[in-house]
Amino acid sequence: MSTVSASRRDAQAFAAGFIDARARYEFFAMCAAGFLFSVTHNYSALFAIVFERAGHSLAEIGLLLSLFAIPAIAAALLSSAAVARFGALRTARWSILLTLVGVGSLAFTRDHFLPALLSRIVQAAGVGMFLPAGMVYIQSRITRANFVYFVTVFSAGIPLAAAVAPPLGAWTLERFGATALFLEAAAPAALGIALTYGLRVLPSAGAASGLALSGAFRNAFILPYAAVLMGGALYGFSVSYLAADLHGRAIALAAFFVPSSIAMVAVRFVGMRWMAKLRPPLLVAASLLIYGLAFVLIAVAREPIVMAAGGVAFGLGNSIMFPVVSAWLGEGLSPAERAGPQAVGTASFYFGIYAIPLPQTFMIGAWGFFATEIIFAIAAVAMAATVVALARRPSA
């Protein structure tokens, strides 16, 4: 009787898009772990304040914040080798642990530059490895029936944590100080690690050598890599420079960031259920077109209502880009084949976010915010046209 009942549960889970009944729990447990990992990481929004209060110079603060990019991108590339040797679940667990150690150790290292830099490097290594490993694991728990939708659901928890960590951390910082802030920040990651125990471990490749990226450089992957790099650059502009632009125009930051966040969450949890029926290249092209519209609205906005419209468009574009590219790269591949493409795809996205702001600085300095935003709007539309023109259905 119990065997029949278990078989029925497996059949129901399979119809919903999971490989079996246990995989349903494993998928949502990893989603929760990813959210908690991201809560810990998003306390980084307060680090500039903490480092300033610790007495670091402006140059030191800039290095502590910006050098994060190098180990994060390197770790994303190395994640393929880690998944090949240790499996996706163990790699994801170690990634959360490194993020916990990096953030938590700042309770003791924040006052001195080199120890604080070491803490940030450890944090960056954890952040760089988590998304590729997490993506490989959750993609092994689902079927092709709702593949794009469930990949999007997993990715939704990562940015959603940005609505939780900064306000909670600011409250703790003002009332209890920096040490309490960092210890509080480490707690969600600890809970996230606990959630990864009891999940089934995927078999590791074991015999893989080098970076285990040999399968990641197929011609079919070049287009999604280029598209997600562009998506990272567009998102990186909002993280690095948009606040300064809005401040210069006397437009409240909430006019952009609140509608942007609402639109992103709404699409990932609701809209993607029917959008996922479209082919990933078409969704990515749509994301880039919407990004282009967003940058035009941002550039011309002089009133909060126009900026809010730009925020909604930006949130729509952002909600589609990374999860759909991840699904595009994983479609039709076995779990053993997915680690390399996910590693390079994540590294491309991080490169766009963390490295492209450097040339953006020179563009803003030479031509101003308006011209830079229009240039990126044109670049987004051009990339969308390229995706439409070059995308081909994957071969069987």
Side-chain angles (χ1 to χ4, degrees), residues 81-266:
V83 169
R85 286 165 175 74
F86 309 115
L89 179 62
R90 292 190 182 98
T91 302
R93 185 182 298 149
W94 277 97
S95 301
I96 301 173
L97 178 61
L98 287 172
T99 306
L100 183 159
V101 171
V103 173
S105 64
L106 283 167
F108 312 102
T109 63
R110 65 183 183 273
D111 293 331
H112 305 284
F113 177 76
L114 288 179
L117 180 61
L118 179 60
S119 293
R120 287 286 285 165
I121 290 172
V122 172
Q123 179 193 357
V127 170
M129 281 198 297
F130 178 77
L131 267 180
M135 279 290 183
V136 170
Y137 188 80
I138 64 102
Q139 288 178 9
S140 74
R141 306 295 87 190
I142 58 181
T143 69
R144 297 192 67 172
N146 290 307
F147 192 81
V148 175
Y149 174 69
F150 283 126
V151 169
T152 304
V153 168
F154 170 72
S155 68
I158 307 301
L160 187 60
V164 177
L168 180 60
W171 183 87
T172 301
L173 179 63
E174 295 306 322
R175 286 160 180 77
F176 303 106
T179 298
L181 167 74
F182 290 118
L183 296 178
E184 174 187 279
L191 180 56
I193 292 171
L195 286 174
T196 66
Y197 285 93
L199 308 186
R200 287 174 291 185
V201 178
L202 301 185
S204 60
S209 60
L211 297 178
L213 294 174
S214 58
F217 297 105
R218 305 175 190 178
N219 290 337
F221 294 155
I222 295 175
L223 188 59
Y225 292 157
V228 81
L229 190 152
M230 174 62 73
L234 297 168
Y235 176 69
F237 181 87
S238 74
V239 173
S240 299
Y241 299 113
L242 187 55
D245 185 18
L246 295 183
H247 181 73
R249 285 188 256 176
I251 297 176
L253 299 187
F256 173 85
F257 288 101
V258 171
S260 172
S261 298
I262 292 172
M264 183 204 66
V265 171

Side-chain angles (χ1 to χ4, degrees), residues 5-25 28 139-147 150 200:
S5 178
S7 298
R8 184 179 296 113
R9 288 195 300 270
D10 285 342
Q12 291 172 341
F14 189 83
F18 302 95
I19 60 173
D20 56 29
R22 187 174 173 186
R24 188 199 299 267
Y25 165 76
F28 287 108
Q139 288 178 9
S140 74
R141 306 295 87 190
I142 58 181
T143 69
R144 297 192 67 172
N146 290 307
F147 192 81
F150 283 126
R200 287 174 291 185

